[in-house]
Amino acid sequence: METPPQRQRPGRAPAQGNRTGRPRQAEVARLAGVSQATVSLVLAGRTDKVSIAPETQRRVLEAARTLGYVPDPAARRLAAARNNMLGVFSFTATFPTDVRHSYYPFLVGVECEAAEQGYDLVLFTGSSTGGAGSGGPEALSRVRLADGCLFLGRHAPAAELRRLVDDGFPVVHLGRRDELDGLSWVGADYISASREVVAHLAALGHRKIVLVREDDEAPASTDREHGFLKGLEEAGLPAGPDAVFRTADPASALTPDVLRGWLDAGVTALVAEETDTGAAWLALERTVAEAGLSAPDDLSLAVLGSPPPERDSAPVTGFDIPRTELGAAAVRMLVALVAGEEAQEPLVACPFRPGASVGPPPTPAG
Amino acid sequence: METPPQRQRPGRAPAQGNRTGRPRQAEVARLAGVSQATVSLVLAGRTDKVSIAPETQRRVLEAARTLGYVPDPAARRLAAARNNMLGVFSFTATFPTDVRHSYYPFLVGVECEAAEQGYDLVLFTGSSTGGAGSGGPEALSRVRLADGCLFLGRHAPAAELRRLVDDGFPVVHLGRRDELDGLSWVGADYISASREVVAHLAALGHRKIVLVREDDEAPASTDREHGFLKGLEEAGLPAGPDAVFRTADPASALTPDVLRGWLDAGVTALVAEETDTGAAWLALERTVAEAGLSAPDDLSLAVLGSPPPERDSAPVTGFDIPRTELGAAAVRMLVALVAGEEAQEPLVACPFRPGASVGPPPTPAG
DNA sequence: CTCACTAGCTAATGCGTATTAATCATGCGC
DNA sequence: GCGCATGATTAATACGCATTAGCTAGTGAG
C-alpha cells in the first residue's frame, strides 16, 4: 500500500556495450585473459573433448563467478537449435472455469515429466479470441514454435493436425485417436481395465452382467464395451446383444421397471461406463435407489472408471484412470519423437479399484 | 491397441538444410522471390517505416502461410530482445497434487489476459529435481528467455529474484512482497476488505469483536489484522490487544472455554482470517459447534476471505479473493513493465460477500 | 539532360553462444 | 635438427531474426 512498486535500481554497473548490463562470455574472457571460445568450452564442461589446462579453467570459472555471469538462454537455445520447449494445446482454455472438465490432472503429470526431461511448457489456447495470431485456421501453426506439441481434448481440428504431422512436426495426442494415421497418441487401456472388472464380477459368481452405456462413438466408450464383452467371453458368460444397454439418454431410459426386468431375467450385476458427464453411472445409481434396491446386497454395481467424486459415499468398484500418469507418458512419448526416436507403447494401464458396491450374487430365493 | 503409432509419413519434403525441419524466413523469402530482410519486415508489420509494395507483401504473407512459418522465439529474443512470451514461474509445481494450494484460479486469469494482450505463456518449473539446468542459479535464469516473468508463491529465492530485478528484467510477483525493493507485485487488498467486514459487523450493532488469526508473519496475515484494527478504530470500537487472538495452533488453542470467556466478556462477533490451511476458520467453526452455539443466533461469525469450499453449507459472511482478476492484473502489470512503462496500482479489491453467519448481536438477556 | 529525391528493396551486420577447423608451441623419437 | 603427434587455445562460423545503411530504378523539377 505504501510501497508503489518501482524498478531499475542502480544496483549493478550499467553496461559494457551490451544491451542488458549483464556480463557476456566475452567479458568473462577478457577478465580471464582467454578467448570467448575457451570460456564457452569451460563453462559447458566440454573439457573432456577439448582439453583445457586446469589452471586456465580455474581462471575462467573465477572470472565468471566474480562477474556473476549467467548464460543467456536465448542465445544458448539458438546456437543449440533446440528450444527445449514443448507446446500444450487445448482447443478450449487450458484452465477452464468449470473444473469438472478440466485437464488439470493431466497437466500435473505433464508438468512434472516435462521438468524431469528438462523441457519448459508453452501454453496455447485454441479458444483465445484476440491476442497473438489467433483466429484463422493457421492458429494451430503457432505451436511450431515449440519443439513438439501435446494436444488435449478431441476438438483439435483434424485438418490442421494432419498438416503438422505431415510436416514431420512432433505431435502427441492425449487420448486415443486412430482416424488420423501417423498421429501418435497415448491413452488409457480401457479394454484391459474393463475386462478386469468383468473378471472380478465373474469370479464372485455373477453369471449375467449388463453394461449400461451412452450412445457415443468415442473410442473411450467403444473400448469399454469391447473390454466388457471380452471379459464376458473369457469368463464363458453369454455376451449377446442384450448384455449391453445402450441409450442416448440414460437418465430417462433407465427406469426402475427396466431394472427389475433385468433382475427377473437373472441379472445380478450391472456395470456403467464413465464418461465426461457421468450420465450412465448417475442414472444407474439413482434408479437403483428409486427401485428400493441397494448394492451389494440386492445386486452388484461397478463403474468402468471413477465415479464423479461426490460426497463421502462408499467407494464404488471399478478402475482408476491414471490421468497424471497419462500426462507423463504423453510427455515421454513427445520427447522421444522430438529426439527422432520411435514412439513407444501408447497404452497406460488403469489400476483396478476394489470397492464396496460388489459382492457375491444374492442367493436366488432368500 | 492394434495401431502402434508411427510417424514421419512421406508427406512433405523433410527439410531444406536447416537443422530443425521448421521453415525459416530464408525459405519463405525464396518461395516469395524476395530477400530474407523483406520477409522480416513484412511479417513484423514494419511496412510503415520501410515501405513495401502491397503486392510484395501479399506474396510474402502467402508464402509464409503455405510453409507454416512461425518465428523462432530464441532468435527473436536474441535479435530484438523480445519474443512476445511471458514466463510463469513457480518454485513449487504449478499444478500441485494438493489442489488446495493450487495456483489454478490465478492461472485462469493469467492465461486469459495473456492471450488478450497477445502474449504466449511459458511455464517454467523450478521444482524439477534432476533434468536439465535444474538446481543452480541457472534454474531461475531460464526465465530470461521470455520478455518478462510472473512469479507465483513465496518460495522464489530472493537472491535470484534480486538479480533479475537488478538486471532490469521485468518481473512481477503474485502476492505482496515488500522485502525486495524494486520488485513489482500485485496483491489483494486485504486491508480494505477486512475493514469492510468489520464495518459491516459494527453497523449491525456489534461492539466487541475478536479476530482469530494464526501466528504468521506473512503479509496476507498482517494485512488482515491491520484492516481489522483499522475497521474497529473507524467504528469507534476498542481495538486493544485482546481484540486479536493470535495462536500458532488454533485447533487446540481455541477451546470452548476460551469462546465462552469471550461471550461472557461481551464479545458478540468473531472474525477468522483465512490462510492456505484455513486452520483459524476451521477451528473457530468447530469450536462454536462444540460449545453448542450457532451463528448467527448466539453470535456472529465472519471470515476474512472465502472458507474452504466444503459441502453445501450456508454461505459465510466475508470477502472473496478475486484470484482470477489478480492473475489478469499481474499480467497487465507485467506487460506494462515489458513495454517500459511504469507499474500501476498493485492492489486489487476483494468484493464483500454477504452471508448467513452474521446478524445483529443477541439481546443481552433473553 | 542532369540532379535531387523517393519508393522499394536488399546486403550486411549484430545479438550471445556452441562448435569446428585451424594455429601454435612443445616435446619426442630417430 | 626434422618431422610429427599431442595438448592447449583461438579464429571463424553458424544459429535465425531484426535492423540499418545503402543501392537501384523511376519521377519530377530545374
Side-chain angles (χ1 to χ4, degrees):
Chain A
M1 192 142 189
E2 52 274 33
T3 308
Q6 48 194 356
R7 287 195 47 257
Q8 193 72 357
R9 9 175 297 155
R12 204 166 292 266
Q16 294 285 0
N18 53 29
R19 297 174 297 190
T20 61
R22 188 176 2 139
R24 333 267 83 188
Q25 284 186 352
E27 274 117 59
V28 176
R30 210 170 306 146
L31 179 57
V34 297
S35 74
Q36 176 266 324
T38 304
V39 173
S40 174
L41 290 172
V42 171
L43 293 183
R46 258 324 189 324
T47 59
D48 42 350
K49 318 218 61 166
V50 180
S51 65
I52 303 278
E55 164 61 14
T56 305
Q57 296 194 36
R58 213 192 46 69
R59 286 214 317 280
V60 168
L61 290 173
E62 179 172 327
R65 192 144 31 78
T66 64
L67 286 177
Y69 169 81
V70 286
D72 178 348
R76 197 195 261 281
R77 293 177 188 203
L78 178 58
R82 248 167 163 247
N83 281 324
N84 277 311
M85 294 202 270
L86 299 181
V88 176
F89 185 97
S90 53
F91 196 69
T92 59
T94 310
F95 309 113
T97 346
D98 177 11
V99 188
R100 274 298 240 290
H101 271 246
S102 153
Y103 301 121
Y104 194 93
F106 297 113
L107 290 175
V108 174
V110 168
E111 179 190 31
C112 185
E113 186 66 23
E116 200 69 23
Q117 305 269 346
Y119 282 85
D120 291 316
L121 297 176
V122 191
L123 265 37
F124 299 101
T125 307
S127 67
S128 70
T129 58
S134 70
E138 304 93 71
L140 248 195
S141 188
R142 293 187 50 70
V143 305
R144 296 178 123 106
L145 112 196
D147 293 332
C149 191
L150 203 61
F151 285 85
L152 304 182
R154 47 193 58 268
H155 296 292
E160 295 294 322
L161 268 182
R162 166 91 280 149
R163 169 73 190 279
L164 288 175
V165 171
D166 285 352
D167 282 355
F169 183 80
V171 164
V172 169
H173 193 268
L174 192 45
R176 180 162 147 201
R177 184 135 183 190
D178 289 329
E179 87 277 17
L180 268 177
D181 66 63
L183 174 64
S184 300
W185 52 265
V186 301
D189 188 355
Y190 295 127
I191 298 184
S192 301
S194 299
R195 205 178 46 183
E196 193 175 353
V197 168
V198 173
H200 180 77
L201 289 169
L204 283 171
H206 295 275
R207 289 292 161 257
K208 284 194 109 174
I209 309 174
V210 166
L211 166 68
V212 178
R213 63 165 289 193
E214 300 178 36
D215 196 17
D216 189 344
E217 277 306 330
S221 281
T222 57
D223 279 3
R224 284 176 167 95
E225 179 171 331
H226 276 147
F228 174 78
L229 295 175
K230 205 166 185 177
L232 289 182
E233 208 172 304
E234 288 175 2
L237 302 180
D242 53 347
V244 177
F245 181 73
R246 178 169 178 161
T247 169
D249 183 15
S252 63
L254 189 58
T255 63
D257 283 345
V258 171
L259 186 57
R260 280 194 214 93
W262 283 332
L263 297 192
D264 291 345
V267 172
T268 57
L270 291 174
V271 173
E273 75 164 344
E274 185 212 347
T275 60
D276 289 345
T277 62
W281 168 251
L282 291 176
L284 180 56
E285 197 176 28
R286 196 175 45 72
T287 305
V288 167
E290 273 180 29
L293 302 171
S294 87
D297 296 331
D298 304 317
L299 78 174
S300 287
L301 297 179
V303 58
L304 301 182
S306 321
E310 289 303 312
R311 38 220 81 201
D312 31 33
S313 54
V316 177
T317 300
F319 56 80
D320 291 321
I321 300 173
R323 298 180 214 269
T324 300
E325 179 51 35
L326 273 170
V331 168
R332 279 193 295 273
M333 179 178 283
L334 187 53
V335 167
L337 292 183
V338 168
E341 300 165 16
E342 204 58 29
Q344 344 83 312
E345 173 60 29
L347 288 178
V348 177
C350 303
F352 178 76
R353 166 173 36 77
S357 62
V358 308
T363 44
Chain B
M1 195 140 187
E2 54 272 32
T3 308
Q6 48 195 356
R7 281 195 55 254
Q8 195 72 358
R9 355 180 312 153
R12 203 165 290 264
Q16 294 286 359
N18 55 29
R19 300 172 293 187
T20 61
R22 189 191 324 166
R24 330 269 85 188
Q25 284 187 351
E27 273 117 61
V28 176
R30 209 170 307 148
L31 180 57
V34 296
S35 74
Q36 175 265 324
T38 304
V39 173
S40 174
L41 290 172
V42 171
L43 294 183
R46 261 321 193 322
T47 59
D48 41 349
K49 318 220 59 166
V50 180
S51 65
I52 304 278
E55 163 61 15
T56 305
Q57 296 194 35
R58 212 194 45 72
R59 286 213 319 278
V60 169
L61 290 173
E62 177 172 329
R65 192 146 28 80
T66 63
L67 286 178
Y69 169 80
V70 165
D72 180 330
R76 213 177 175 51
R77 176 106 178 111
L78 184 57
R82 52 177 313 166
N83 57 11
N84 277 296
M85 296 208 261
L86 297 182
V88 174
F89 187 97
S90 54
F91 195 68
T92 59
T94 309
F95 307 114
T97 344
D98 177 9
V99 187
R100 277 298 242 290
H101 272 244
S102 162
Y103 300 121
Y104 194 94
F106 296 112
L107 290 176
V108 176
V110 169
E111 180 187 35
C112 185
E113 185 66 24
E116 199 69 22
Q117 304 270 346
Y119 283 83
D120 285 319
L121 287 182
V122 190
L123 252 48
F124 297 101
T125 309
S127 63
S128 68
T129 56
S134 70
E138 315 222 341
L140 248 192
S141 180
R142 281 181 309 154
V143 307
R144 304 180 118 108
L145 182 64
D147 292 345
C149 190
L150 204 60
F151 285 81
L152 304 181
R154 47 193 58 269
H155 295 292
E160 295 293 322
L161 268 182
R162 165 90 281 148
R163 177 64 193 279
L164 287 174
V165 171
D166 285 352
D167 283 350
F169 183 80
V171 164
V172 169
H173 193 269
L174 192 47
R176 181 162 146 203
R177 184 134 181 189
D178 290 327
E179 87 276 16
L180 268 177
D181 65 63
L183 174 64
S184 299
W185 52 265
V186 301
D189 188 355
Y190 296 126
I191 297 184
S192 301
S194 299
R195 206 178 45 182
E196 195 175 352
V197 168
V198 174
H200 180 77
L201 289 169
L204 283 171
H206 294 274
R207 289 291 163 258
K208 285 196 108 172
I209 310 174
V210 166
L211 167 67
V212 178
R213 62 164 292 194
E214 300 178 36
D215 196 16
D216 190 343
E217 276 307 328
S221 280
T222 58
D223 280 4
R224 284 177 167 94
E225 179 172 330
H226 276 147
F228 172 78
L229 295 175
K230 207 167 185 176
L232 289 183
E233 210 173 303
E234 288 175 3
L237 302 180
D242 52 346
V244 176
F245 182 73
R246 177 168 179 164
T247 169
D249 183 14
S252 62
L254 190 57
T255 63
D257 282 344
V258 171
L259 184 58
R260 281 193 213 95
W262 284 332
L263 297 192
D264 291 345
V267 172
T268 57
L270 291 174
V271 173
E273 74 165 346
E274 185 213 346
T275 59
D276 290 344
T277 61
W281 168 252
L282 291 175
L284 181 56
E285 198 175 28
R286 195 174 45 73
T287 304
V288 167
E290 272 180 28
L293 302 170
S294 87
D297 297 330
D298 304 316
L299 78 175
S300 287
L301 296 179
V303 59
L304 300 182
S306 320
E310 288 303 313
R311 39 219 80 201
D312 30 32
S313 54
V316 178
T317 300
F319 57 80
D320 291 321
I321 300 174
R323 298 180 215 270
T324 300
E325 178 53 33
L326 273 170
V331 168
R332 279 193 296 273
M333 178 177 284
L334 188 52
V335 167
L337 291 182
V338 168
E341 299 164 18
E342 205 59 29
Q344 343 84 308
E345 175 57 31
L347 288 178
V348 176
C350 303
F352 178 77
R353 166 173 36 77
S357 61
V358 307
T363 43

